[in-house]
Amino acid sequence: MTTTRTAADLRAVTAAELEAIARGAALLGTGGGGDPYVGRLLAEHALGPGGSVPVVPLHELPDDAVVAAVGIIGAPTIGVEKIQGANETIDAIAALNSALPRPVTHLVCTEIGGSNSMVPIVAAARTGLPLVDADGMGRALPELQMLTPGLHGHAATPLGLSDEKGNRLVLHATDNLWAERLARSAAVTMGCSACYAMYPLSGAEARAAYIPGTLSWAYRLGLLMAEARRRHEDVAAVLADELGGAVLFRGKVVDVDRRTEGGFVVGTGRLDGVDGWAGSGFTLRFQNEHLVAERDDEVLVTTPDLVCVLDADVAAPVTTEALRYGMRVS
Amino acid sequence: MTTTRTAADLRAVTAAELEAIARGAALLGTGGGGDPYVGRLLAEHALGPGGSVPVVPLHELPDDAVVAAVGIIGAPTIGVEKIQGANETIDAIAALNSALPRPVTHLVCTEIGGSNSMVPIVAAARTGLPLVDADGMGRALPELQMLTPGLHGHAATPLGLSDEKGNRLVLHATDNLWAERLARSAAVTMGCSACYAMYPLSGAEARAAYIPGTLSWAYRLGLLMAEARRRHEDVAAVLADELGGAVLFRGKVVDVDRRTEGGFVVGTGRLDGVDGWAGSGFTLRFQNEHLVAERDDEVLVTTPDLVCVLDADVAAPVTTEALRYGMRVS
């Protein structure tokens, strides 16, 4: 608990911070948002040796900043095979800029959970734009209209979308639900994943609409997990204590029903209990993220609470596309 | 035959020409491109009483013109229920203009076949832009990369796409096949039909890339059909003579297998012969347009030849979405 209280807020991201951010982001991804592992490698490559990306606290954003949220839309199952490049992020920002009176000056995470924590770092390193220490969800999100700037009444469009082949589009939607539908279907056609730059906001609007400090929060959670593992502590219990939650179950994965559908990975995972939970069953229901957790057919937790699954052997978060038969998890 | 040789080329379209153009376009649509009936009503409304749209022969286009092809992409089955409005065409042109250094100065048909013969007339009436007497297919087309400007090496994008709800997008594709895929999937999400403005060409490029005189040709074919029907002549035989074709079959529709799939209407129609063809069977295979005609399991005609189906009772062309059990056709 001390770790997250004492570590200072990030003022820059270098290669040294990436592993902790990725680990914390994977936890906050609650199984969704894709494994940040590949994103971390891309960010390392984009930063280069000695490279760094400046991080601006949300409250320090100037009023006249132009802030865009960047990330990947698609099914995380696809990200396992179709690895994102670095040019898509530049193309998506260029597509958005073509529809704006003034170009984007700052980048922000849509969702701190999962690989979308890494995409803005790659984009910032490639474009030289500073990154805001904030995100629009505080976890991973299933659909773009659910972001906090959307809840604050801001339009997700104009939205720039791009793929690794060089296709680009600029979308103007009548509302954010239509933006989600059109961006999702274009992403499916682009190969089930695409890069976006969206929600162009002024600095003043962004300060009110985003969740402050979540990049630093993911970093501190990542440090905490690494520290607990180094000390051979029970990482799940340490996290439950830190996040004010509880260890709901420990068990072995006995069945995974998973399919890619409409640009999402959806399905169910079933566990048989071990330790104190021997004899009990547990069910995880997911759409990209773990949405519902049931023990012995009783619903214990639903989103927006965080349903986090840790691999018991390596104490690392498990994404919904990586969940597999025989895995021991907490 | 005399009609098509003697009627002068169109220099303007008024409400008086619409019926003949629509009838000729329906014939050249070979079952696809949608019934121009609704399009004709929209064009009549857009022209208004006494209104007219100037028509420019292809060879008179100035070098520095900016020519865009406008029309509807989607499954014609949808057009039966979801009637296009007039604002989509304006929105699609505005979306395209936002990606061009100079705005569009002239409009042209993508395909003279079907309802897409009427959309550019509506767009011209609403925007005040002149219409070019030409199209990019000389018939109806299944996919946008097959247009003659595409065959001349021109890019279909930037492409503006819009729907009746007010959603708009600008697409930049790496090639015209990707433009087709992305525009088609966006059109499906927009409700299975959407309006586009694409293939921005200079006047010099357009003169070389489009098929001249096809708007006037559709008009003359429409006049010929009306004249033949007025004289109680065999319209199918008159048209076969005029177009250098043949009457392949007369029969009754005994089965239609039709489904809307991936933004297309696809299926099969089966006929039993009458008159000289009694005892024979005939099969029409279609994807929006009639693509293959078979008599007694022998393939007689395939696209790009025109497979035209006329309702024997009213001597009017029948679209693939209107083909139904019991209809007598030539």
Side-chain angles (χ1 to χ4, degrees), chain B residues 2-29:
Chain B
T2 47
T3 319
T4 69
R5 295 287 156 79
T6 56
D9 277 353
L10 290 167
R11 297 304 304 229
V13 173
T14 69
E17 284 79 41
L18 290 178
E19 189 175 343
I21 296 173
R23 187 178 292 268
L27 181 79
L28 295 171

Side-chain angles (χ1 to χ4, degrees), chain B residues 216-301:
Chain B
S216 295
W217 185 44
Y219 173 60
R220 287 191 298 256
L221 284 172
L223 290 181
L224 178 73
M225 291 165 75
E227 179 70 10
R229 194 162 68 158
R230 200 180 56 75
R231 292 181 181 167
H232 302 290
E233 293 173 355
D234 178 344
V235 176
V238 168
L239 284 171
D241 182 40
E242 171 66 27
L243 294 167
V247 178
L248 296 181
F249 202 73
R250 295 182 199 272
K252 201 175 68 175
V253 179
V254 292
D255 189 30
V256 179
D257 169 24
R258 179 171 48 218
R259 57 201 178 279
T260 302
E261 206 174 88
F264 292 108
V265 43
V266 293
T268 311
R270 289 181 206 285
L271 318 179
D272 278 353
V274 297
D275 303 343
W277 287 275
S280 282
F282 199 82
T283 303
L284 294 159
R285 301 187 188 279
F286 52 83
Q287 173 180 321
N288 284 14
E289 288 78 44
H290 292 297
L291 302 182
V292 179
E294 299 167 13
R295 190 170 59 208
D296 295 332
D297 299 324
E298 181 199 358
V299 173
L300 288 184
V301 196

Side-chain angles (χ1 to χ4, degrees), chain A residues 3 16 39 59 89 103 114 120 145 165 176 178 185 188 193 214 236 245 265 269 272 274 310:
Chain A
T3 320
H59 66 87
T89 58
Q145 77 280 9
K165 294 170 280 290
N176 293 344
W178 273 108
S185 71
V188 169
S193 87
T214 47
V265 43
D272 278 354
V274 296
L310 292 182

Side-chain angles (χ1 to χ4, degrees), chain B residues 65-206:
Chain B
V66 180
V67 185
V70 293
I72 301 275
I73 180 169
T77 30
I78 303 302
V80 175
E81 291 186 1
K82 183 188 166 204
I83 293 170
Q84 78 235 36
N87 293 332
E88 296 99 289
T89 58
I90 296 173
D91 283 354
I93 295 166
L96 174 58
N97 278 342
S98 76
L100 296 179
R102 289 188 303 123
V104 170
T105 62
H106 290 73
L107 302 177
V108 64
C109 277
T110 42
E111 51 179 348
I112 192 62
S115 60
N116 271 340
S117 60
M118 291 290 127
V119 178
I121 299 173
V122 174
R126 291 295 301 267
T127 58
L129 297 174
L131 194 59
V132 184
D133 186 2
D135 84 320
M137 185 59 59
R139 48 166 296 155
L141 80 155
E143 301 188 354
L144 67 81
Q145 78 279 12
M146 300 170 182
L147 286 165
T148 54
L151 302 181
H152 278 76
H154 299 296
T157 65
L159 177 155
L161 199 72
S162 63
D163 68 16
E164 77 293 346
K165 293 170 280 289
N167 294 308
R168 281 182 293 130
L169 62 87
V170 183
L171 178 63
H172 300 260
T174 50
D175 61 34
N176 292 343
L177 186 55
W178 273 109
E180 162 66 27
R181 285 179 188 146
L182 288 164
R184 182 80 50 184
S185 72
V188 169
T189 305
M190 284 170 162
C192 223
S193 86
C195 187
Y196 55 76
M198 61 177 179
Y199 279 110
L201 262 58
S202 73
E205 290 168 336

